[in-house]
Amino acid sequence: MLLRSMMFVPAHNKRIIEKGINSNADAIIIDLEDSVPESDKKTARKNAAEYIMKGTNGKKVFIRTNPLESPMLLEDINACANKCITGFMPPKISSEEDMLYLDKLLSQKEKELDIENGYFKLAPLVETAAAVLNLASIVRHSDRTVAICFGGEDYLNDIWGTHGCPPKAFDTPKALIAMAARSVGIVPIDTPFLDLQDQEGFIREKQEAFELGFGGSLLINPRQIEDANRCFTPSKEDVRISKEIIRAIEKSNREGAGCVMLGDVMVGPPMQRRAERIVRFMELVEREK
């Protein structure tokens, strides 16, 4: 699933929902949680349901619900469960039990709506030290999970950390999130970058996340979309080299050579797999344009 740019839109603001649906973000997250004041929760839920029923122009749409312990969770799911959405982004997931609970809850909702089991996907937020330590079990306990998303600010608060520039406290959880997600074939998603005036800082941080193995980032503003899409897409040079590697492999196979050479460099299986993955990824990007 292409999730290079996942932009939050607060559900109590119809104008921002509209902008999100019509943006170039790979996915939007209609937010019923942190960005919505308590006094606007009902309005937010009503707006979200209204836009979902209108249709979302083929955009991937996730609903960020209120936390599992909140009585509003069921209200959020009941209001927004519809085949027009991709799935849900539950906040503050901390264990495999949380994932199993959500899986059963969504299975029951699908049954009520006569929707095939497993239709609604999950992109849970990892925001605490406990969640980071439980990543190996969290990623394996629901086939619905398509992404694991890092909530850096809540994580910092949980560990009593400070937000340096760059935030060193993010190094370990980000490495673990990337490894856990990729180990089961789902997409690791980076935490939002909050300084909207620092474009260079955004690009630098997201390029580093891409190097770590992340496939995309949570966003808080449309001006970050194009940079995110570029940062989490292989460079033209990477694509060119990948295609050359694949051509060299095909030539070697035709000629029955014992090894594959690209110029003076021997191409081994890891390089071949990476080249093939990059080409497949670019095909996905072209299909979703």
Side-chain angles (χ1 to χ4, degrees):
M1 189 175 287
L2 194 64
L3 297 171
R4 299 167 300 175
S5 47
M6 300 183 73
M7 188 173 70
F8 285 109
V9 293
H12 64 299
N13 190 319
K14 287 186 175 182
R15 181 179 61 85
I16 297 180
I17 296 175
E18 192 79 37
K19 281 188 174 181
I21 289 172
N22 293 306
S23 73
N24 290 324
D26 287 342
I28 63 167
I29 306 154
I30 299 180
D31 189 13
L32 300 174
E33 194 214 13
D34 274 359
S35 68
V36 179
E38 286 296 319
S39 59
D40 290 330
K41 294 286 187 180
K42 287 185 179 178
T43 299
R45 202 174 292 117
K46 181 181 176 183
N47 289 348
E50 178 184 324
Y51 274 90
I52 291 164
M53 291 302 292
K54 282 182 182 178
T56 53
N57 295 333
K59 180 81 69 184
K60 290 185 282 288
V61 174
F62 291 84
I63 307 297
R64 176 158 76 163
T65 65
N66 285 282
L68 268 66
E69 65 272 15
S70 168
M72 289 184 283
L73 172 67
L74 287 175
E75 296 176 42
D76 296 343
I77 291 174
N78 287 335
C80 299
N82 183 290
K83 288 195 86 168
C84 290
I85 71 166
T86 308
F88 294 89
M89 178 177 284
K92 298 178 177 65
I93 293 300
S94 61
S95 67
E96 62 189 82
E97 287 80 14
D98 290 345
M99 297 299 290
L100 290 169
Y101 172 71
L102 283 163
D103 189 85
K104 290 177 181 177
L105 202 61
L106 293 179
S107 291
Q108 180 60 38
K109 194 63 191 175
E110 288 161 344
K111 187 175 180 181
E112 290 174 15
L113 298 173
D114 195 25
I115 294 174
E116 61 267 31
N117 186 259
Y119 182 86
F120 295 124
K121 305 307 179 187
L122 286 170
L125 276 158
V126 167
E127 304 175 87
T128 64
V132 171
L133 293 175
N134 288 330
L135 276 165
S137 58
I138 287 172
V139 298
R140 285 177 167 81
H141 274 79
S142 177
D143 291 338
R144 299 176 183 277
T145 308
V146 294
I148 291 289
C149 308
F150 181 39
E153 298 307 312
D154 280 297
Y155 173 81
L156 276 181
N157 183 55
D158 192 53
I159 65 165
W160 294 36
T162 58
H163 202 304
C165 188
K168 296 296 292 179
F170 288 176
D171 289 355
T172 297
K174 286 174 73 164
L176 291 172
I177 287 167
M179 285 190 285
R182 294 302 187 186
S183 74
V184 294
I186 62 178
V187 186
I189 303 295
D190 196 17
T191 190
F193 187 88
L194 303 183
D195 187 348
L196 298 180
Q197 304 306 316
D198 187 5
Q199 183 183 19
E200 288 184 6
F202 176 89
I203 292 171
R204 182 173 59 252
E205 190 168 296
K206 299 314 164 186
Q207 286 175 335
E208 289 173 358
F210 183 63
E211 289 178 12
L212 273 175
F214 279 77
S217 178
L218 302 173
L219 308 178
I220 58 171
N221 192 282
R223 72 178 70 171
Q224 298 173 323
I225 293 171
E226 296 305 324
D227 285 329
N229 287 344
R230 280 194 294 271
C231 287
F232 292 100
T233 300
S235 68
K236 290 181 179 178
E237 180 67 6
D238 276 344
V239 175
R240 182 188 67 78
I241 292 171
S242 296
K243 289 180 177 178
E244 286 188 3
I245 288 172
I246 291 170
R247 284 195 292 269
I249 292 165
E250 291 172 346
K251 181 174 183 291
S252 177
N253 289 340
R254 285 195 304 270
E255 295 174 353
C259 62
V260 180
M261 300 297 297
L262 183 61
D264 295 327
V265 178
M266 182 178 291
V267 177
M271 293 174 65
Q272 177 182 347
R273 288 192 292 270
R274 182 172 184 271
E276 291 169 345
R277 188 182 70 243
I278 286 173
V279 170
R280 287 196 304 270
F281 183 87
M282 294 310 297
E283 289 170 352
L284 176 62
V285 171
E286 287 299 314
R287 284 200 305 272
E288 295 205 7
K289 274 186 178 179

